Amino acid sequence: MNFKYPKEEKLKSKITIGLLFTEGKSVSKYPLRLVYCPQKKEENQRIKMGVSVSKKYFKKAVDRNYFKRVLRETYRLNKHLLIPHLDEPFAFMFFYQTKERLSFDEINTKTIQLFEKFVSQLAQKKEAQAKDTDSSSTELS
């Protein structure tokens, strides 16, 4: 299993980040939120991930940076839950949305639950698309 978080996996493109906020869908498991959007097929990386912690909740940059490090680490350790279920490249933005200072273990548990919720939502979407194609093919017959 590859537990790396290489530079190619980091979300840096302002265009992609803007696209996430305008067209992205969201999954949340308090206090975490994952905004995602499919990317173009020509992207060579399956996942682009960015993290964010609100200045509203943590005024000091030291505190924001700490929670960003924790989010990146929990993503790095649990991305194996996402990768097998992705058929196309995705861009993700991972948010920490509370004033509470949760421990690493609590955040890690919530991350696992969030990723499982995302995977189940993706599976439901695939099932719905499969039913739509089945019904449209029977209408053509």
Side-chain angles (χ1 to χ4, degrees), residues 105-140:
D105 291 330
E106 292 171 313
I107 294 172
N108 194 38
T109 304
K110 294 289 184 178
T111 302
I112 292 168
Q113 293 170 353
L114 179 69
F115 288 174
E116 288 170 349
K117 188 174 179 179
F118 167 75
V119 167
S120 68
Q121 199 174 72
L122 204 60
Q124 288 174 351
K125 187 177 175 184
K126 285 179 189 175
E127 287 175 16
Q129 287 176 345
K131 287 180 184 178
D132 289 344
T133 52
D134 289 345
S135 63
S136 64
S137 62
T138 50
E139 288 173 7
L140 296 174

Side-chain angles (χ1 to χ4, degrees), residues 15-122:
I15 295 169
T16 308
I17 292 170
L19 193 66
L20 273 171
F21 286 108
T22 56
E23 298 178 15
K25 294 185 176 35
S26 175
V27 178
S28 58
K29 186 73 179 169
Y30 181 80
L32 304 175
R33 187 167 146 233
L34 187 70
V35 177
Y36 62 94
C37 183
Q39 287 191 298
K40 298 181 186 84
K41 290 284 185 189
E42 58 263 10
E43 292 287 330
N44 57 353
Q45 198 67 27
R46 217 183 234 176
I47 295 179
K48 292 281 190 179
M49 175 67 82
V51 296
S52 178
V53 178
S54 176
K55 194 185 261 191
K56 175 181 172 184
Y57 299 127
F58 297 101
K59 303 292 185 204
K60 295 180 182 175
V62 174
D63 297 330
R64 288 194 304 277
N65 291 339
Y66 169 77
F67 282 103
K68 286 194 283 189
R69 277 196 310 273
V70 169
L71 289 179
R72 282 193 292 268
E73 183 67 5
T74 58
Y75 161 70
R76 186 184 71 79
L77 294 173
N78 297 304
K79 70 180 180 180
H80 66 276
L81 298 171
L82 296 175
I83 292 174
H85 303 284
L86 302 177
D87 297 336
E88 57 185 330
F90 271 88
F92 295 102
M93 195 63 143
F94 197 16
F95 295 97
Y96 186 80
Q97 296 185 306
T98 185
K99 286 182 188 175
E100 295 176 48
R101 294 172 179 266
L102 299 178
S103 70
F104 175 83
D105 291 330
E106 292 171 313
I107 294 172
N108 194 38
T109 304
K110 294 289 184 178
T111 302
I112 292 168
Q113 293 170 353
L114 179 69
F115 288 174
E116 288 170 349
K117 188 174 179 179
F118 167 75
V119 167
S120 68
Q121 199 174 72
L122 204 60

